[in-house]
Amino acid sequence: MLELRDVMVELGGQQIYDHLSFQVSRGEFVCLLGPSGCGKSTSLRVMGGLLPIAGGSVRIMDQSPADAWSKLAYVFQSPRLVSWRNALENVVLGMELRFGAGSAASRRDKAMELLSLVGLAADTHKYPSMLSGGERQRVAIARALAVDPEIIFMDEPFSALDPSTRRKMRTEIEQIWRHTGKTIVFVTHDVDEALQLADRIILLGRKPSSVQENLMLKASRPRDPGAAELAAHRARLLDTYASDEAVAET
Ligand SMILES: Nc1ncnc2c1ncn2[C@@H]1O[C@H](COP(=O)(O)OP(=O)(O)OP(=O)(O)O)[C@@H](O)[C@H]1O
């Protein structure tokens, strides 16, 4: 469904990738993991057609990213809500921007349904300033789902939240993914987050980066972080990843 082949990107006179290639299948939950600055967020911009590539190719369901834009949605680290619209209106706004004019009533119905799905049925009238960080991020997730994308790109969506909210949000996004069957590409630098969420972890090395490891996770869900299989993966990932972080810092 999504393929990067030998992608090269130049930013500020630097090569970010060394022929970056990977694929994502329909319905997969893929986590992109790697040291700071290795190009995880950049790869989401490339897949969304927001950044030109200097070489290689990107295909999304046999289309260029520019042609496939209506199949994509983003959730960023910061929820980027419109402060003067309440939760419901923020979700509706996502649909208005994507689909233009149409039935206002059906959009409100869909927004209500999605806000219920993310646990905000009782908070639809609240403005962003009246919502907690986790609730605001839930609105952003509902807004992404509202445009019925094929693929959702998530760029460290929980990293600004406190640890207990982050844990809760991970469980919720896993449930939402199972419920909706969407394809998710999720950027994180948190090994445990990737181990909890991913069908597959794509580990990038330091810049200019390429795929260092493609790790399939077969452990059943919901995952027990203490499971022996995960513990073995954690130890190895931390080993590879930590040594890359150390090199990146020198
Ligand atoms: N507009 C830009 N101009 C110049 N360099 C840039 C620009 N945007 C990103 N970079 C550089 O590209 C590299 C990759 O950045 P990117 O944000 O994709 O990394 P990342 O892996 O997501 O990092 P982090 O985990 O710290 O968020 C970094 O070295 C960054 O400084």
Side-chain angles (χ1 to χ4, degrees):
M1 127 167 285
L2 190 163
E3 182 181 45
L4 276 74
R5 189 178 292 178
D6 289 328
V7 166
M8 303 293 280
V9 168
E10 199 181 308
L11 282 174
Q14 276 192 310
Q15 287 296 339
I16 308 300
Y17 303 122
D18 176 12
H19 298 91
L20 181 67
S21 301
F22 62 81
Q23 297 181 349
V24 177
S25 303
R26 183 184 292 274
E28 247 192 324
F29 198 131
V30 167
C31 284
L32 288 177
L33 185 69
S36 180
C38 72
K40 302 181 294 295
S41 301
T42 298
S43 74
L44 294 191
R45 290 164 68 201
V46 162
M47 290 183 254
L50 305 172
L51 193 67
I53 54 177
S57 66
V58 181
R59 301 295 288 171
I60 295 172
M61 299 173 83
D62 286 328
Q63 290 182 303
S64 68
D67 290 335
W69 70 271
S70 64
K71 300 183 170 76
L72 313 174
Y74 279 88
V75 178
F76 299 97
Q77 183 178 350
S78 141
R80 304 186 182 189
L81 304 180
V82 175
S83 61
W84 61 91
R85 284 191 167 223
N86 67 25
L88 184 79
E89 290 161 350
N90 263 283
V91 178
V92 167
L93 178 64
M95 288 185 265
E96 285 170 357
L97 293 174
R98 184 67 62 97
F99 304 126
S103 159
S106 67
R107 281 178 195 172
R108 291 180 77 83
D109 287 349
K110 184 160 185 187
M112 284 295 292
E113 180 193 320
L114 290 168
L115 286 167
S116 300
L117 178 69
V118 298
L120 292 179
D123 303 292
T124 57
H125 62 289
K126 289 189 181 167
Y127 288 83
S129 61
M130 300 157 77
L131 296 167
S132 70
E135 288 167 342
R136 283 198 284 271
Q137 204 53 302
R138 288 194 188 104
V139 177
I141 292 167
R143 183 182 55 191
L145 289 167
V147 297
D148 205 19
E150 298 283 345
I151 306 174
I152 305 179
F153 296 125
M154 298 191 159
D155 195 352
E156 304 202 31
F158 309 142
S159 57
L161 305 175
D162 64 83
S164 97
T165 310
R166 200 181 312 162
R167 275 196 297 277
K168 204 165 160 216
M169 294 295 290
R170 283 181 197 160
T171 305
E172 287 182 14
I173 199 64
E174 190 178 7
Q175 286 165 354
I176 290 167
W177 167 70
R178 280 144 74 101
H179 180 85
T180 60
K182 297 291 178 196
T183 306
I184 296 183
V185 182
F186 188 108
V187 162
T188 181
H189 56 249
D190 183 328
V191 170
D192 284 314
E193 187 161 72
L195 286 169
Q196 178 179 345
L197 294 175
D199 286 329
R200 188 156 55 92
I201 295 175
I202 297 177
L203 180 66
L204 302 185
R206 67 195 163 91
K207 190 174 62 180
S209 62
S210 57
V211 174
Q212 275 201 291
E213 192 160 339
N214 234 309
L215 179 64
M216 298 290 293
L217 294 172
K218 299 214 164 63
S220 59
R221 297 169 184 271
R223 299 218 167 114
D224 168 10
E229 182 195 345
L230 293 184
H233 287 319
R234 179 183 298 104
R236 206 165 40 75
L237 280 171
L238 281 173
D239 205 30
T240 320
Y241 181 42
S243 60
D244 254 325
E245 288 274 43
V247 173
E249 279 164 19
T250 56

